[in-house]
């Protein structure tokens, strides 16, 4: 009898663990990759901007990794993805579990919670020390949400980079415009000084 009691005592915690495992909703991980490269800045080449004609360094790539992992970009991607879901009227997802009890097989979850879960689990790292390839991953109880979040994040990263590129081009254009204006004014001042000198010296300037 003691042997049987011992087996039953051990079997109870095991059955509880098994039951809790069944109740848990599985988590899925999505992966994405992104190659980091210099943007085309138009008038200034990328290497000129970087200085001394150097190529991308690991520090440059790590900076982009930090941007991808930043909370600001993550929140931006989350807001954009939620706008897309709401536009489609897709705000609640039904998650299914392999359970014998019918009313426990489905779990309704707010999409906002799934997207937040994906954002908080975001992991970004370089493929290796010599590569420009960056690998991203995110987890969610809904695999489609995890994948959608990574797609939105990379798209928003590219969009943000383009916006920064445009701002750089606009600042460069403003600087060139001011430089041309300054040279024009300097030339006009020089011409006026020359005319004044010629008049004072009774010289005739032929055009």
């Amino acid at each position: 009898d003691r042997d049987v009691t011992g087996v039953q005592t051990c079997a109870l915690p095991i059955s509880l663990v098994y039951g809790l495992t069944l109740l848990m909703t599985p988590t899925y991980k999505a992966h994405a990759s992104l190659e980091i490269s210099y943007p085309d800045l138009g008038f200034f080449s990328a290497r000129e901007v970087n200085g001394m004609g150097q190529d991308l360094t690991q520090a440059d790539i790590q900076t982009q990794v930090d941007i991808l992992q930043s909370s600001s970009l993550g929140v931006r991607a989350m807001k954009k993805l939620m706008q897309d879901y709401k536009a489609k009227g897709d705000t609640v997802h039904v998650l299914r579990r392999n359970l014998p009890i019918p009313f426990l097989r489905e779990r309704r979850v707010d999409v906002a919670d799934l997207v937040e879960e994906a954002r908080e689990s975001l992991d970004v790292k370089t493929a290796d020390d010599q590569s420009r390839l960056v690998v991203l991953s995110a987890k969610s109880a809904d695999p489609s949400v995890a994948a959608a979040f990574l797609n939105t994040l990379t798209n928003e990263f590219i969009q943000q980079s383009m916006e920064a590129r445009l701002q750089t081009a606009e600042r460069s254009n403003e600087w060139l415009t001011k430089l041309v204006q300054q040279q024009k004014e300097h030339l006009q001042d020089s011409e006026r000084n020359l005319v004044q000198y010629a008049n004072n010296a009774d010289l005739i300037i032929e055009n």
Side-chain angles (χ1 to χ4, degrees), residues 145-158:
V145 173
F149 175 76
L150 288 183
N151 288 335
T152 305
L153 182 77
T154 54
N155 288 337
E156 290 302 305
F157 171 74
I158 294 171

Side-chain angles (χ1 to χ4, degrees), residues 1 13 24 40 46 59 73 79 108 110 113 118 127 161 192 194 201:
D1 292 340
M24 293 176 61
D40 180 10
L73 183 63
K79 289 180 178 178
R108 299 175 66 83
D110 194 318
D113 294 334
S161 299
R192 283 194 295 268
L194 178 60

Side-chain angles (χ1 to χ4, degrees), residues 75-136:
V75 170
R76 171 173 171 160
M78 185 173 64
K79 289 180 178 178
K80 177 63 172 62
L81 184 55
M82 285 307 304
Q83 288 176 357
D84 294 341
Y85 276 126
K86 289 179 180 179
K88 295 184 293 184
D90 187 11
T91 58
V92 176
H93 281 194
V94 177
L95 306 181
R96 290 177 172 79
R97 294 170 291 194
N98 187 20
L99 293 173
I101 306 174
F103 73 89
L104 289 177
R105 290 175 185 171
E106 294 185 348
R107 174 189 168 203
R108 299 175 66 83
V109 182
D110 194 318
V111 170
D113 294 334
L114 295 171
V115 174
E116 177 63 24
E117 178 186 27
R119 186 184 73 84
E120 291 180 350
S121 67
L122 176 66
D123 182 53
V124 184
K125 58 186 177 182
T126 55
D128 56 66
D129 293 339
Q130 304 300 323
S131 174
R132 295 183 179 182
L133 192 66
V134 173
V135 179
L136 305 90

Side-chain angles (χ1 to χ4, degrees), residues 5-77:
T5 303
V7 171
Q8 289 176 343
T9 304
C10 293
L12 181 59
I14 294 174
S15 63
L16 284 174
V17 171
Y18 177 71
L20 291 173
T21 302
L22 286 176
L23 288 173
M24 293 176 61
T25 303
T27 301
Y28 303 89
K29 178 183 284 189
H31 297 271
S33 60
L34 185 68
E35 184 177 4
I36 304 298
S37 61
Y38 272 127
D40 180 10
L41 297 179
F43 182 82
F44 295 104
S45 69
R47 293 189 176 187
E48 287 173 341
V49 172
N50 189 44
M52 303 303 293
Q54 297 176 353
D55 202 352
L56 273 172
T57 65
Q58 285 304 117
D60 297 326
I61 296 175
Q62 185 58 47
T63 298
Q64 302 306 309
V65 170
D66 293 341
I67 293 174
L68 282 164
Q69 291 186 122
S70 66
S71 59
S72 59
L73 183 63
V75 170
R76 171 173 171 160

